[in-house]
Structures are given as structure tokens and as C-alpha cells.
Amino acid sequence: LDISSPNIHSKQSATFTMLAFITLAASISCLYLQQQAEAFSTLPLTSHNASKSTTARNAFQLPELSFPNLFLSKDVRRSELKEQILSLASETKRGLTATDEQKEQMQTLFAELEALNPTPNPLIVNGKKASVNGDWSLDYTTSDSILGKGGFPRIGPIIQNIDTTTLSARNSEVVQYLLFPIPRSISAELSPVNGKFTDVKFKRFQLVPIGFDAPDSFRGALDITYLDQDVRLTRGDKGNIFVLTRM
């Protein structure tokens, strides 16, 4: 005999349906919460969700910031720039063999070092800063004529002496004329316009043992854009740049 009641069967069926629905809902909820947690988690990931979760993390990852020279002191940066400039000057034989790329590189380094000039008025000499006075060796220039490009080669250093007490300058070098090395020089008079810029009037040429006065039209200008104890940067009136080191 069937002793069960129809109402009892109906209640049991409803209960089973409700439990199944709750279980399914709980499973879906747990899976969703797991995916959300993995998107922000720094813990190791399971293999089947690694790729998806890594993408999610990257979406919220802050970019790495780099400031290569921001916190370097000016002295450190000056030293770096001088080292690069003098290395390039040596590599290109004072600029004589410089390629267009090397010339552009030098212009960039030159301008960057100018911006760190520790001596704003180099022509005004006092005991508290580097002096422009003395002998300087030309390490690099863009002037083909001074380098002797296409002509007689220069032997040894090309020297410039500056004396602000007498407002005078003197350039000297040794030139190889065929088989003979011949010293030659030119003296000049300085007429400062301000603390860094001076007009130049060439006075006398000397080609040992012959000397003669320079024509009155032989004039130029000198803009000293950087000066410290070891290095001087200068711009000429014809757009050339000059790198000199103290002797």
C-alpha cells in the first residue's frame, strides 16, 4: 500500500529544486569572486587562470618612471660632459676627421656644458673663480682653416694665450711646410664688450724669422661661453666652436 501523501512528495520536490538552485548560485558566485580577487592579487596564480589574471594585473600596474640625470649634481654632470667632449675631440683629431654624426654629437654636448657654465663673466678676473688668463691648448674646433684641413698639417699643440691685464691674445702653432716644421703666430688686441664677449683686432703675424703687421680689416670676435679651471668653450664670430684645455 502506498502510505505516502501527495502533499509530502510535492514538498520534497520543491525542497530539492531550491537546494539545487542555491548550490548553483553559490558556485557561480564563488567563481566570480575568485576571478575578481585574482585580478588584484599578488599571490601565485593557478595555471589555468594565469594568463587572464596577468593581463588584469597589468591593467592596474603603475608605469616605471626613470629620471636618468635629474638628481645628479651639476659638478658630476659637468665632469661627465667634459669627459665625453674631450674623448670625442681626441677620437676625431681635434675635429679634423669628424663625421657629420660626430659633429652633431659634439654640438649637443657643447651646448649642454655651456648651460652649466660656473663662470658667468670669464673676462672679469678675480681670485674667487677660474681665470681665463694663461695658455690654452685647442682640443677641438669646427674651423677647417685653423685645423689646416686640405693644406699644410699642424704639428703638436695649437696654443692660445689670453691676458686680460694687457687685453691681449696670441695664437701660436707649428706648421709642416713640405719637409720643414715652421713655427708661426699672430698677436691680437682684445676690446671686451661685456664680461664674456670681446672684439678682436689682429695686430702682427710672425712667420719665423719674418714678421709683419696685420691689415686693419683683420678683425674678429670671441664669445667665452664656458670656463672652469680645466676647460674653456668659445664661440667665434663665424659660427665655429672651440674646445680648449688649460696647459
Side-chain angles (χ1 to χ4, degrees), residues 135-137 157-160 230 245-247:
D135 290 333
W136 296 85
S137 175
I158 299 174
I159 302 170
Q160 183 177 77
D230 309 306
T245 51
R246 193 183 297 276
M247 300 184 70

Side-chain angles (χ1 to χ4, degrees), residues 106-228:
M106 181 63 84
Q107 290 281 0
T108 300
L109 295 170
F110 192 97
E112 190 172 350
L113 186 56
E114 282 180 317
L116 297 175
N117 180 25
T119 314
N121 297 295
L123 291 172
I124 302 175
V125 178
N126 61 52
K128 298 180 181 179
K129 62 182 182 179
S131 173
V132 71
N133 291 338
D135 290 333
W136 296 85
S137 175
L138 179 67
D139 284 53
Y140 180 92
T141 183
T142 53
S143 171
D144 290 343
S145 61
I146 289 178
L147 289 171
K149 199 169 186 177
F152 296 103
R154 275 54 174 167
I155 302 173
I158 299 174
I159 302 170
Q160 183 177 77
N161 175 275
I162 291 182
D163 188 346
T164 57
T165 61
T166 60
L167 293 179
S168 64
R170 180 184 179 88
N171 295 344
S172 58
E173 61 188 354
V174 176
V175 180
Q176 183 75 39
Y177 289 106
L178 301 178
L179 299 177
F180 305 99
I182 305 296
R184 68 181 189 182
S185 64
I186 181 170
S187 59
E189 180 183 276
L190 305 179
S191 299
V193 176
N194 54 41
K196 62 187 286 291
F197 186 92
T198 180
D199 290 325
V200 177
K201 183 182 185 302
F202 297 105
K203 300 293 290 183
R204 186 169 179 81
F205 290 98
Q206 191 73 36
L207 185 65
V208 176
I210 304 169
F212 53 93
D213 292 337
D216 187 66
S217 59
F218 275 48
R219 298 173 181 266
L222 207 62
D223 187 11
I224 302 173
T225 57
Y226 179 93
L227 175 70
D228 63 23

Side-chain angles (χ1 to χ4, degrees), residues 1-214:
L1 297 172
D2 187 3
I3 58 174
S4 60
S5 168
N7 290 334
I8 293 177
H9 285 294
S10 177
K11 289 180 181 179
Q12 289 177 339
S13 178
T15 300
F16 289 145
T17 302
M18 182 62 70
L19 288 173
F21 176 79
I22 292 173
T23 301
L24 179 61
S27 298
I28 294 173
S29 298
C30 287
L31 180 60
Y32 174 74
L33 291 173
Q34 182 183 9
Q35 290 173 341
Q36 291 299 304
E38 287 177 350
F40 296 93
S41 177
T42 58
L43 297 176
L45 302 174
T46 57
S47 59
H48 67 280
N49 282 325
S51 177
K52 183 186 299 184
S53 301
T54 300
T55 301
R57 281 204 310 278
N58 289 341
F60 293 93
Q61 186 175 1
L62 292 176
E64 294 184 3
L65 301 179
S66 176
F67 304 97
N69 296 312
L70 186 60
F71 300 106
L72 287 179
S73 71
K74 288 184 177 181
D75 288 339
V76 172
R77 187 57 184 150
R78 283 191 196 103
S79 296
E80 289 180 348
L81 288 168
K82 289 194 295 183
E83 182 178 351
Q84 293 176 56
I85 286 173
L86 296 180
S87 175
L88 186 57
S90 176
E91 182 182 343
T92 60
K93 299 180 180 179
R94 286 196 289 235
L96 189 63
T97 63
T99 64
D100 289 342
E101 183 179 353
Q102 288 171 322
K103 290 177 181 179
E104 184 177 349
Q105 181 184 1
M106 181 63 84
Q107 290 281 0
T108 300
L109 295 170
F110 192 97
E112 190 172 350
L113 186 56
E114 282 180 317
L116 297 175
N117 180 25
T119 314
N121 297 295
L123 291 172
I124 302 175
V125 178
N126 61 52
K128 298 180 181 179
K129 62 182 182 179
S131 173
V132 71
N133 291 338
D135 290 333
W136 296 85
S137 175
L138 179 67
D139 284 53
Y140 180 92
T141 183
T142 53
S143 171
D144 290 343
S145 61
I146 289 178
L147 289 171
K149 199 169 186 177
F152 296 103
R154 275 54 174 167
I155 302 173
I158 299 174
I159 302 170
Q160 183 177 77
N161 175 275
I162 291 182
D163 188 346
T164 57
T165 61
T166 60
L167 293 179
S168 64
R170 180 184 179 88
N171 295 344
S172 58
E173 61 188 354
V174 176
V175 180
Q176 183 75 39
Y177 289 106
L178 301 178
L179 299 177
F180 305 99
I182 305 296
R184 68 181 189 182
S185 64
I186 181 170
S187 59
E189 180 183 276
L190 305 179
S191 299
V193 176
N194 54 41
K196 62 187 286 291
F197 186 92
T198 180
D199 290 325
V200 177
K201 183 182 185 302
F202 297 105
K203 300 293 290 183
R204 186 169 179 81
F205 290 98
Q206 191 73 36
L207 185 65
V208 176
I210 304 169
F212 53 93
D213 292 337

